[in-house]
Amino acid sequence: MAGDNVIVVGFMGAGKSVCGRLLARRLGRCFVETDDMITARDGRPIPEIFRQGGEEAFRRLEGEVLEALALKSGDVIATGGGLPCREGRMEALRALGTVVWLRGALPALLERASRTGGRPMLERSPSEIEALYRAREPYYARAHVTVDTAGLGVDHVVARVVAALRDAHAARV
């Protein structure tokens, strides 16, 4: 049934992949990552897509993947940080299921994001990254559920998401 997915959104370094994977395991669901779908469809790693086609080419591929997500049912889906941040996209994600924003303080997010390579968005200046974060926040804020990740490990974040999903489901029934 469409609309029964759990979609995890947030800025780079929020823990979308690592928390999404554990959440899927806890809920007994499949885990899907939009960035993996993009590389599988395009055949190039994301840094290469950025280098060769620029950010616009990458955002176009995200749009195609967003349309493909309509076929998903009962999955936990982690989006790339920028995927929800274009007009109409958050509404499209909300139609696919319950959207969960993993919210964190920018310094902590950047510290985590810098631990893994291949992040073209980290090649910007600190002021550009902060502006990007501020511009994306209003999109993320449209999520059904917000989980503050400050000072929490993966297990605690996932436990909070599971509890919030239970509450959100109860509120809808």
Side-chain angles (χ1 to χ4, degrees):
M1 174 181 97
D4 63 351
N5 299 289
V6 177
I7 302 96
V8 184
V9 303
F11 203 65
M12 59 183 155
K16 299 179 296 291
S17 300
V18 86
C19 292
R21 207 168 274 118
L22 182 59
L23 178 64
R25 206 173 311 135
R26 291 237 174 110
L27 298 176
R29 297 178 176 212
C30 291
F31 176 66
V32 179
E33 215 163 349
T34 60
D35 284 356
D36 289 347
M37 291 173 71
I38 288 169
T39 55
R41 286 173 147 235
D42 188 77
R44 293 177 294 173
I46 288 168
E48 200 173 309
I49 296 170
F50 266 83
R51 251 195 322 278
Q52 294 174 352
E55 185 177 350
E56 234 359 90
F58 179 73
R59 299 297 170 207
R60 240 189 337 276
L61 291 166
E62 275 186 334
E64 291 171 18
V65 161
L66 180 56
E67 288 173 26
L69 289 178
L71 304 172
K72 300 285 178 200
S73 176
D75 292 344
V76 173
I77 301 164
T79 71
L83 187 142
C85 305
R86 296 219 158 171
E87 222 30 70
R89 287 191 177 179
M90 200 57 167
E91 291 66 33
L93 290 172
R94 287 173 59 93
L96 295 172
T98 305
V99 180
V100 178
W101 174 24
L102 298 184
R103 183 176 66 197
L106 185 58
L109 298 177
L110 293 179
E111 196 273 316
R112 273 201 301 259
S114 64
R115 287 186 213 153
T116 54
R119 294 191 184 252
M121 300 310 271
L122 275 181
E123 294 164 14
R124 299 169 177 220
S125 74
S127 63
E128 284 178 310
I129 291 172
E130 183 166 348
L132 184 65
Y133 179 72
R134 299 280 165 249
R136 288 179 176 183
E137 274 187 318
Y139 290 97
Y140 300 148
R142 294 186 204 158
H144 296 103
V145 173
T146 299
V147 174
D148 202 328
T149 63
L152 298 180
V154 176
D155 280 327
H156 283 106
V157 171
V158 171
R160 281 197 181 173
V161 172
V162 169
L165 289 172
R166 222 175 276 127
D167 292 348
H169 183 71
R172 287 201 192 142
V173 174

